[in-house]
Amino acid sequence: MANCTVIPVPALSDNYMYLIVDNETKQAAAVDPVDIDAIQKAAADNGATINTILTTHNHWDHSGGNLKLIKAVSTIDRVYGGIGDDVPGCTHEVGDGDTFKIGTNTTVKVLFTPCHTQGHVCYHVDDAHVFTGDTMFVSGAGNFTTGTPAQMTEAFDKILGLPESTYVWVGHEYTAKNCAFACFCEPNNEEIKKRLEWAKGQGSIHSGGEGTIPSTIATEKACNPFARIDSLSVMEFCGPCDDRSERMRLVRKGKDDWGRMS
């Protein structure tokens, strides 16, 4: 039996917050709770008590609700954020390999994944879930805002090193557009073509659709061009290049250039 339950909560136009509930104690962690009313309603609807905030990174659409939620919910006594990321309200700065618990049974292990921000972290929960913020999206990756292609390559390697059955919970609903670029990058990949049609049919939770979360590590290995920089078809897209980090840069550049044209 699983130790925790994950409840996705849509926010803003395309953000995802999450409530991670320890099944035994009903103590909960709120992940990137930018909309404090929606996350409190999710907790109430599920009989959970929020005592922890997990922040993937310091951008306002992920950390902007922290101080308000701390003020509104007296049971919150821990706010986690990455080392050097200046997360609002942070009480525990965490780095690679740090561990802690939600409630009595739900374990959390930190993956330090700087690039999108200098202290971005992902949270590997209960050996079954990973919350990737703006590092990995479904069939995509976050912008390399403060970092380098080498950092994003290392971040993806960490995430993709988790078991293939691991559920991937991302920071934004960008899947249909990401899959469209993936088809452009790998036009002969039938799995990606199917994934695009599926994503179009699912739509966005934010506009009444079903949404596309969670993904899995196995699916990202098959359908995410940023996770496939060692595949022959992505290498062909990048052109002659032996350096993995340079291929990561070229896929990012390709996505950006494609986005301006599409």
Side-chain angles (χ1 to χ4, degrees), residues 8 10 50 63 91 136 150 152 207 218 225 242 262:
I50 301 172
S63 68
T91 62
M136 178 182 286
M152 190 60 81
S207 54
D242 293 331
S262 61

Side-chain angles (χ1 to χ4, degrees), residues 91-109:
T91 62
H92 294 69
E93 284 199 334
V94 288
D96 205 52
D98 286 344
T99 60
F100 53 91
K101 285 189 175 182
I102 301 163
T104 57
N105 293 322
T106 302
T107 60
V108 182
K109 183 176 181 179

Side-chain angles (χ1 to χ4, degrees), residues 25 126 201 227 248:
T25 64
D126 200 30
M248 179 65 81

